[in-house]
Amino acid sequence: MAAVVTADFDAHMMAIALAMARRGLGSTAPNPSVGAVIADTATGELIARGWTQPGGRPHAEKEALRRAEERARGKTMYVTLEPCAHTGRIPTCSDAIVAAGIARVVCALPDPNHVVAGHGFAQLREAGIEVDVGLFGSRARWVTLGHIFRQTAHRPFVQIKMAVSADGRIACGEGKPVWITGPEARADGHLLRAEADAIFVGGMTVRADDPELTCRLPGLLPRSPIRIVFSPKSGLSLDTKLVASAAKVPVWLVSGVPSGKADAELSARGVQIVHVPEALMGIAGLPAVMTTLAAKGITRVLIEGGPRTWADCLAAGLVDEAVVYQSALVGPVDGLAVVAGGDLAGYFRPFGLRPVFAADLGADTRHVFRRPIR
């Protein structure tokens, strides 16, 4: 039967592969989350889907091949990132693709990792496999940006999450969280947590709100990311919910100087202490903090607050995306602090972030601002 490959068919399959890649976000670090689809271009059948498994292995390509079994022979694979080809303890994804008899590979992005870059494509082509690169490359780049930045800029992808009133104010906690948005927006915020490797908050937020910072949607508690408290000069109270749950969900304290006995007490309760001397430099030290996190395998960081931490990371030029949940309600002055005011686009513009879309979530609106990525 003659092949029925069309640009629309390729685009449809790659869109599915991208959806598979998003499925693994937050669970594969330090490896990238990749999606793969195997399809029969003669019949239009989608044969198998795969995505990078928790912990980073098996890779998406091998997972899709495992599901397809012998039906992969002669078919087309759509994959969001260049298949690995560097030698190691186990056969690479390129080896597996060749062995399975795949006839064509459509890939969105080359891998910037120097041990992979170009080698995967070269191995496939040497085996006689047709390779097409670049389909939905910009979309795949956003999904893969944590891996790309870790390899090229030695820092993670940084995302801010904010909840504000209609006039751009945030709730001030008094020992517990205060919600100004509805349940739909809060649920979406928990999904953002599930897609992050780590949540990053300032010590003042912990002292004000005593948050748990876990994914509290049904079935997502195991997807709770590492919880990182940035407190350059002071430690972390032993009485916080974070410390109480550190044995179940990891907690890191990023500080500027060792604290001796206090560090030992936190370590005994399961808190990991990360000393970054540059943290004492304030805004100027934040790039070094992010570089340290990347070196420890973190690829995606979600900054949840507070206002000082948001402002410092924005001023340091570290924020790649801001997700803002805006209530339709105008907040009372008491108990609310002005952050962005009524002009969200104007607030983020000086930091290089531009609005890309907005959508209603229940009674609230979800705004997304991004830094243009070449």
Side-chain angles (χ1 to χ4, degrees):
M1 183 180 295
V4 293
V5 179
T6 66
D8 286 346
F9 182 79
D10 281 352
H12 182 58
M13 291 298 110
M14 185 60 79
I16 295 172
L18 284 166
M20 295 300 99
R22 289 199 67 91
R23 181 175 292 188
L25 288 177
S27 68
T28 67
N31 287 351
S33 182
V34 177
V37 167
I38 297 172
D40 186 336
T41 57
T43 65
E45 179 187 5
L46 191 160
I47 294 172
R49 301 173 297 169
W51 57 94
T52 309
Q53 296 298 291
R57 292 185 184 277
H59 290 181
E61 300 94 321
K62 289 187 177 180
E63 185 68 10
L65 290 169
R66 180 187 68 79
R67 294 168 183 240
E69 298 180 326
E70 288 301 316
R71 299 186 67 202
R73 188 164 300 278
K75 306 306 188 296
T76 295
M77 174 179 283
Y78 300 84
V79 62
T80 59
L81 186 68
E82 180 178 3
C84 64
H86 54 90
T87 58
R89 294 175 296 174
I90 58 177
T92 67
C93 289
S94 293
D95 292 331
I97 291 169
V98 171
I102 290 288
R104 175 176 176 243
V105 171
V106 180
C107 184
L109 284 176
D111 193 329
N113 186 342
H114 71 279
V115 299
V116 178
H119 301 303
F121 296 146
Q123 182 178 346
L124 296 176
R125 289 178 173 129
E126 287 169 5
I129 297 173
E130 180 185 350
V131 178
D132 297 325
V133 183
L135 179 62
F136 285 174
S138 60
R139 289 171 59 179
R141 185 171 175 80
W142 267 101
V143 175
T144 318
L145 207 50
H147 171 70
I148 293 171
F149 279 172
R150 185 168 180 263
Q151 296 296 325
T152 61
H154 309 294
R155 72 166 179 88
F157 168 78
V158 178
Q159 181 184 55
I160 280 181
K161 185 186 85 171
M162 302 170 64
V164 301
S165 62
D167 50 346
R169 298 173 181 266
I170 66 161
C172 301
E174 296 180 355
K176 62 180 180 179
V178 177
W179 294 308
I180 58 176
T181 54
E184 295 88 353
R186 296 200 297 272
D188 193 76
H190 280 269
L191 289 176
L192 289 184
R193 290 180 178 179
E195 293 182 348
D197 300 335
I199 295 176
F200 190 90
V201 297
M204 292 180 63
T205 293
V206 176
R207 290 187 286 275
D209 296 346
D210 191 19
E212 288 184 285
L213 302 177
T214 53
C215 296
R216 293 189 296 278
L217 293 178
L220 283 186
L221 183 60
R223 292 285 298 269
S224 296
I226 297 167
R227 299 165 296 171
I228 298 176
V229 179
F230 179 58
S231 188
K233 296 181 181 179
S234 59
L236 184 61
S237 171
L238 298 178
D239 297 328
T240 61
K241 294 175 182 175
L242 292 175
V243 174
S245 59
K248 296 180 179 179
V249 180
V251 175
W252 295 1
L253 172 64
V254 175
S255 64
V257 292
S259 298
K261 181 181 178 181
D263 285 354
E265 290 176 335
L266 287 168
S267 296
R269 288 163 171 78
V271 176
Q272 180 174 335
I273 311 299
V274 181
H275 290 128
V276 184
E278 293 88 345
L280 292 172
M281 298 165 56
I283 295 174
L286 280 170
V289 170
M290 292 301 170
T291 296
T292 299
L293 297 183
K296 295 175 78 65
I298 301 298
T299 68
R300 294 175 60 88
V301 170
L302 176 64
I303 299 176
E304 292 221 7
R308 173 69 179 273
T309 304
W310 292 330
D312 285 353
C313 289
L314 284 165
L318 292 171
V319 178
D320 305 299
E321 181 177 75
V323 180
V324 183
Y325 301 99
Q326 187 170 34
S327 171
L329 303 176
V330 175
V333 174
D334 292 340
L336 294 176
V338 176
V339 173
D343 181 10
L344 292 177
Y347 173 75
F348 287 111
R349 188 177 301 115
F351 305 112
L353 277 70
R354 301 291 184 266
V356 290
F357 58 84
D360 291 337
L361 280 177
D364 307 310
T365 303
R366 183 184 194 266
H367 300 271
V368 177
F369 301 85
R370 287 178 178 169
R371 182 185 304 279
I373 303 296
R374 293 186 178 88

